[in-house]
Amino acid sequence: MFEIKLKDNLGRTGILKTKHGVIKTPALMPVIHPGKQSIDVKSLGAEIVITNAYIIYKNEELREKASKKGVHELINFDGPVMTDSGSFQLSEYGDIDIGNKEVIEFQELIGSDIGTSLDIPTPPYVSHGRAERDLEITLKRAKESLKYKKNIMLNSVVQGSTFTDLRARCAEELGKMDFELHPIGAVVPLMENYQYKDLVDVVISSVSHLPESRPRHLMGAGHPMIFALAVAMGCDLFDSAAYILYAEDDRFLSVRGTYKLENLVEMPCSCPICIKYTPDDLRKMEKSERKILIAQHNLYVSFAEIRSIKQAIAEGSLMELVETRCRSHPRLLEAYRQLGNYAEIIEKYHPASKKSAFFYSGPESLNRVEVYRHMQKIQKMPKKSRLLLLSSTRKPYHKYLSSEMGDFFSEGSSKKSGMDDTDIMVADVPFGLIPLELDEVYPLAQNEAPGIIDKDAKEFVKSIIENTYNEYEEVIVHADLDKKYQLGLFSEYILPDNFKIKIDELKKIKSVANYQFGPGAGEGLFEGDVQIVKSKKTGKIRHIYIKDNLIATMRASDGLFVLSKEGAIRLHEKMEYPINRVVVNADSEPFAREGKSIFAKFIIDCDKNIKANDEVLIVNDKDELLAFGKSLLSSYEINDFKTGQAIKTRKGGI
Ligand code: GUN
Ligand code: ZN
């Protein structure tokens, strides 16, 4: 059983329940050789380990002990143990003398928590025909394995070589079967050869076709350098033989790459090993003794990276971490650039709002999902006939614009008075065009980019302006903006004498609601005798009342609305089914009315645009409003999960 706790891009933190305890994901499983364990991995942070059932099976002594006392005692680990099936040995050494049935039954016999069926790890870059033939066998064996299993949880490995169509098909087929977890297989050669760009294609085509409710394990990925990227692509589990294999070769793992002992002048980190010894100490040591110490360092840094990733997801800064990590090798940077081509997929899962600001760290940031999402939303917004385009100032723009725009607002006069037919937008990096009324809404205010604009960002903003230009009858471009982006568009049109940027606050709250809940929501929510109450301290909009009824509160942290009961009723009336809805079954209707949180298994339908942190309406199958709350998941996850909370109800009793 798996539950998602927090999300960022395709990444998630979660918990996975097994017979030997609950583990937190993302998790790293050190590979334990059943015959020769030398390190207490638990004391270094391992919550779960992986070992090889085939190696145990092949060795009479190990087989006997595991059969009698179980695999946990054999490898001296009392937490959850995953076993691999020997498929990898099969791919490396040709035929192995064990069948699918025996492998499953043996893993069952030795008490493995999570077993693996006998897949075929098809290498990268083989012919499509071969990959497809192998895939048929992998799928057939997966199906059979379900017949043989009794008590264990089962892994079913996604194969398909480097063909995205085959990966997608394999994931789709396996997803229909009753497996608990899905490793993504045969990626070791890609990682060994730094083919990270192709790894991105393989992982995304697999993950995007797997059920959201099952953990994904990037098989054979043990180098901490790629953990953050892999988690951002939706991987939940890693296994590391690297910690010991690299140590045998006197190599130190780090998030920046690998260091050879012979080249070390200083120890590479501040783990207990690196504090206690110098490179010379290690070089003088017996190899067998040194190997254990380097392996310990390798595990320290690997677990530290897993913790950093979990922290980053919790604070909403996973991509900032990925961008840092991917700058440690050009091939990783290439992979990150490739990931930028998948924004449309990632957008389906990415939360509506996050705790931390968006940090621009280079042109790749322009391809991040937040930018993609904003552009999609802007395109759908109704347009007026005229556009006034301004250059950016400090944020929030509206506060600083009038004072900095100088002459633009005071010179000359014009017959074209009034700005009712004009959209006012600010052009800026990285979000392109920001309507002035939305300049406090996440992430349009909560972002930072360098003041010295790089060429790519300049081109990016310029092309957005050029595309938008044609959608208006008239565009007025401020001279500063024209100069900053070399647009050559500066308008001769002069604004009226008395023109001042003055935000119409009623329009502003309507625009924010339209941006948040969809076109039309603002007019529905804020129709009538609207009263806007501002914070005495900050002067920002806080509460919106109609007559004496509170409709919504604008959250200071992200400028988005939290609905009141009256607000939820109005939104429900205005927005057509299924927009903003989650539909619960009859059994859970009384709980919803009481204001209890909603579990995913009770939800029978929902608006496909719902994201984590969205405000949602909770209705029954007759579309009667029962309650309202905040979604913890995206629609795709809500639909797939059968366990865990989906909606944190704010209020029932409607
Ligand atoms: N270990 C590394 N890659 C693989 C794979 O593709 N399949 C299995 N079963 N184990 C692996
Ligand atoms: Zn160290």
Side-chain angles (χ1 to χ4, degrees), residues 515-579:
Y515 190 77
Q516 180 176 0
F517 298 109
E523 289 69 24
L525 276 173
F526 305 124
E527 190 188 330
D529 183 11
V530 174
Q531 273 189 41
I532 297 174
V533 177
K534 294 186 185 171
S535 156
K536 285 211 182 81
K537 224 163 98 191
T538 62
K540 284 187 174 180
I541 296 174
R542 291 291 288 148
H543 305 292
I544 323 289
Y545 290 87
I546 292 186
K547 297 221 175 89
D548 288 332
N549 288 324
L550 179 68
I551 303 296
T553 298
M554 190 180 267
R555 200 162 36 206
S557 59
D558 63 6
L560 291 166
F561 285 119
V562 178
L563 297 172
S564 70
K565 179 172 158 181
E566 183 63 27
I569 293 169
R570 283 177 168 244
L571 190 70
H572 180 254
E573 268 168 22
K574 177 70 186 181
M575 304 301 274
E576 266 174 42
Y577 181 89
I579 302 171

Side-chain angles (χ1 to χ4, degrees), residues 252-253 267-275 296-298 300-301:
F252 288 73
L253 297 175
M267 294 298 277
C269 84
S270 48
C271 80
I273 307 298
C274 291
I275 296 293
Q296 284 177 358
H297 156 90
N298 288 345
Y300 273 118
V301 297

Side-chain angles (χ1 to χ4, degrees), residues 84-85 87-88 116 119 121 159 185-186 188 219:
D84 199 354
S85 56
S87 303
F88 204 58
T116 308
D119 55 308
Q159 297 291 353
V188 172
M219 256 188 167

